[in-house]
Amino acid sequence: MVKQSFSHVEHWVFDLDNTLYHPSARLFDQIEAKMITYVMETLQIDHGAADKLRGDYWRNHGTTLAGLMKEHDIDPDPFLVAVHDISLDHLEPDHTLAGHIKALPGQKIVYTNGSAPYAERVLAARGLTGLFDGIFGVEHADYRPKPERSAFERVFERAGVDTTRAAMFEDDPRNLNAPHAMGMRTVHVAPEAHPGDHIHHHTEDLTAFLGQLR
């Protein structure tokens, strides 16, 4: 039944963080720490205030970066470089996942709220280099973040994605609202399911899920 649900799909869109690797790698713990430091230094505020802003902007603007740009007019590029300067030592290649992605018919892209250079580093650490037709970061959406529909529209236009024949794999349920509204098959990849009519499928194991589509 799962395989039949994807029989029409020719465009496969994958989020990066906590989707193409398991959240147990805890990379975002490192990114959050870098964000807090960046906010502290840029806005000259203490750790507690910086952490609160980080969380508030993520909730209210989609990403911390979007909030900083709107509220403080910061330059996004130095921020993206700084917060993604993290260790990837906890990531391991997943050759089974690589095989399943390679076997998918049609176009395959990565679309992340992080930067494309960071995504390339993560893909290399996971043994997934060379499997995707495009790697798109927030910079390719003019720094507008998921879950904004305009961000998806910018990236999908660049990539040539036909959303009526596409699927989206994503760990943040907020980021599946727009793809669902655009006609995509949606897959929530996370340890726990999230209720919502905008989510067609849930899996805690992307490798196993993709294995059902072969």
Side-chain angles (χ1 to χ4, degrees):
M1 290 297 294
V2 171
K3 186 174 182 178
Q4 291 177 356
S5 298
F6 291 82
S7 61
H8 68 294
V9 174
E10 298 175 351
H11 305 269
W12 307 84
V13 184
F14 294 88
D15 176 48
L16 182 76
D17 288 310
N18 297 332
T19 300
L20 288 175
Y21 63 83
H22 194 272
S24 61
R26 305 189 70 85
L27 295 192
F28 217 77
D29 288 359
Q30 297 184 64
I31 293 173
E32 286 183 354
K34 295 277 188 176
M35 286 182 182
I36 293 169
T37 298
Y38 195 90
V39 173
M40 288 174 63
E41 295 176 351
T42 302
L43 303 183
Q44 295 296 296
I45 57 178
D46 64 26
H47 185 280
D51 191 24
K52 183 176 186 305
L53 276 186
R54 178 198 59 76
D56 288 347
Y57 289 166
W58 178 82
R59 284 185 291 272
N60 298 328
H61 296 279
T63 61
T64 300
L65 173 60
L68 289 169
M69 291 178 65
K70 183 171 183 178
E71 303 294 338
H72 306 280
D73 197 30
I74 74 154
D75 183 349
D77 291 320
F79 174 90
L80 289 170
V81 171
V83 304
H84 292 122
D85 183 19
I86 64 169
S87 169
L88 303 182
D89 290 347
H90 290 91
L91 296 183
E92 296 180 353
D94 187 336
H95 301 298
T96 304
L97 175 60
H100 292 338
I101 291 173
K102 185 176 182 179
L104 293 172
Q107 180 195 45
K108 290 152 278 193
I109 68 171
V110 171
Y111 172 29
T112 174
N113 270 341
S115 68
Y118 164 68
E120 290 170 356
R121 288 180 59 220
V122 171
L123 294 176
R126 290 288 282 153
L128 304 178
T129 297
L131 297 179
F132 296 96
D133 300 292
I135 300 171
F136 298 89
V138 67
E139 65 268 36
H140 295 106
D142 301 327
Y143 301 100
R144 303 311 306 163
K146 298 183 282 185
E148 291 185 17
R149 178 163 177 157
S150 63
F152 287 97
E153 289 173 342
R154 284 179 173 91
V155 167
F156 292 164
E157 181 179 3
R158 285 175 180 262
V161 172
D162 176 357
T163 57
T164 66
R165 305 187 68 80
M168 180 83 199
F169 298 81
E170 167 74 56
D171 72 297
D172 188 341
R174 301 181 305 170
N175 296 344
L176 291 172
N177 277 299
H180 179 270
M182 297 166 78
M184 299 179 72
R185 176 68 51 176
T186 58
V187 184
H188 181 218
V189 183
E192 296 184 6
H194 181 87
D197 292 340
H198 65 296
I199 296 173
H200 294 123
H201 306 274
H202 167 264
T203 183
E204 60 181 344
D205 185 341
L206 178 63
T207 302
F209 187 87
L210 294 180
Q212 298 178 66
L213 305 183
R214 297 193 71 167

